[in-house]
């Protein structure tokens, strides 16, 4: 449990909080987590195939890599956070990914991840799924719902993955609200700011 604390890294600190071994039943809530090293990595990094993870009601800021990295994590819920995204290329706000260097014993990829009710703003990719290494498995069974994604180059970016649901998000002031790469299987519907259906009439 990591709760009710104020974490701030400056100078040459690489991570603010990093779980670099296999941890299960992780609960991170009601914290302020700030990474102010532009050449550093994540403000909150959950690696090595952690399972049963909750990240709730935090403020997370990152100058370097994506402030919140699930790489890899499964059966994870990310809810009610405010995330100031990084503007670094190939990074963003909340990432759900596979990366071979982050693998742990018995881990495959990030899966069964629910990202709901967050505000992610002002960076490169606000929320994204990714497979950093082509020989690994892409994330799967991911729900991205009821978030506000604002002021990013891409609001929601599905670079890799399968069985992804993107629904009921508010997308505003992004250069591109949603981008889905080839080979990704996703259901996209009812997102304000990204038209997937036109029907009926309004008076």
């Amino acid at each position: 449990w990591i709760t009710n604390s104020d974490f701030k890294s400056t100078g040459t600190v690489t991570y603010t909080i990093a779980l670099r071994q296999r941890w299960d039943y992780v609960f991170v809530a009601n914290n302020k987590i700030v990474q102010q090293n532009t050449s550093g990595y994540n403000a909150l990094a959950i690696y090595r195939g952690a399972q049963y993870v909750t990240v709730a009601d935090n403020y997370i800021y990152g100058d370097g890599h994506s402030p919140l990295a699930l790489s890899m994590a499964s059966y994870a819920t990310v809810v009610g956070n405010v995330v100031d995204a990084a503007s670094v290329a190939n990074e963003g706000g909340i990432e759900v990914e596979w990366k071979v260097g982050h693998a742990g014993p018995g881990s495959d990829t990030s899966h069964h991840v629910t990202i709901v009710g967050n505000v992610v703003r002002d960076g490169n990719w606000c929320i994204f799924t990714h497979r950093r290494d082509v020989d690994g498995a892409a994330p799967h069974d991911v729900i991205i719902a009821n978030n506000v994604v604002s002021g990013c180059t891409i609001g929601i970016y599905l670079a890799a993955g399968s069985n992804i649901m993107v629904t009921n998000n508010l997308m505003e002031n992004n250069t591109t609200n949603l981008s889905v790469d080839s080979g990704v299987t996703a259901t996209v519907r009812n997102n304000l700011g990204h038209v997937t259906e036109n029907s009926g009439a309004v008076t």
Side-chain angles (χ1 to χ4, degrees), residues 14-26:
T14 306
Y15 296 92
T16 307
I17 299 173
L19 305 183
R20 297 183 60 88
Q21 297 297 328
R22 170 69 178 270
W23 292 90
D24 293 342
Y25 304 101
V26 176

Side-chain angles (χ1 to χ4, degrees), residues 12-13 16 44 52 61 84 94 96-97 108 125 171 178 191:
T12 59
V13 175
T16 307
L44 175 58
Y52 314 112
Y61 171 85
D84 276 328
I94 299 173
V96 180
E97 72 173 11
D108 52 4
W125 304 329
M171 304 175 179
L178 174 70
N191 296 286

Side-chain angles (χ1 to χ4, degrees), residues 4-8 16-17 28-36 43-44 55-63 67-68 79-86 118-122:
N4 301 309
S5 298
D6 188 347
F7 298 92
K8 182 178 180 181
T16 307
I17 299 173
V28 182
N30 298 314
N31 302 286
K32 181 179 179 182
I33 307 170
V34 174
Q35 166 64 282
Q36 289 190 315
L44 175 58
V55 179
D57 301 318
N58 303 280
Y59 171 74
I60 310 175
Y61 171 85
D63 266 345
L68 174 53
V79 57
N81 302 280
V82 175
V83 179
D84 276 328
N118 304 279
V119 176
V120 188
R121 61 194 184 191
D122 301 333

Side-chain angles (χ1 to χ4, degrees), residues 104-128:
S107 64
D108 52 4
T109 187
S110 295
H111 61 87
H112 294 92
V113 176
T114 300
I115 300 171
V116 60
N118 304 279
V119 176
V120 188
R121 61 194 184 191
D122 301 333
N124 184 38
W125 304 329
C126 280
I127 300 173
F128 65 101

Side-chain angles (χ1 to χ4, degrees), residues 106-177:
S107 64
D108 52 4
T109 187
S110 295
H111 61 87
H112 294 92
V113 176
T114 300
I115 300 171
V116 60
N118 304 279
V119 176
V120 188
R121 61 194 184 191
D122 301 333
N124 184 38
W125 304 329
C126 280
I127 300 173
F128 65 101
T129 61
H130 210 308
R131 178 176 58 190
R132 298 289 186 180
D133 302 294
V134 295
D135 57 342
H140 60 87
D141 296 288
V142 178
I143 297 172
I144 302 171
N146 297 96
N147 302 283
V148 176
V149 291
S150 177
C152 287
T153 304
I154 301 177
I156 296 175
Y157 179 34
L158 308 181
S162 60
N163 197 26
I164 300 173
M165 171 71 76
V166 179
T167 184
N168 294 309
N169 299 283
L170 171 58
M171 304 175 179
E172 60 178 9
N173 301 321
N174 304 293
T175 306
T176 300
N177 283 324

Side-chain angles (χ1 to χ4, degrees), residues 77-108:
T77 301
V78 178
V79 57
N81 302 280
V82 175
V83 179
D84 276 328
S87 57
V88 179
N90 298 316
E91 299 290 339
I94 299 173
E95 67 179 10
V96 180
E97 72 173 11
W98 156 268
K99 184 175 175 66
V100 66
H102 299 166
S107 64
D108 52 4

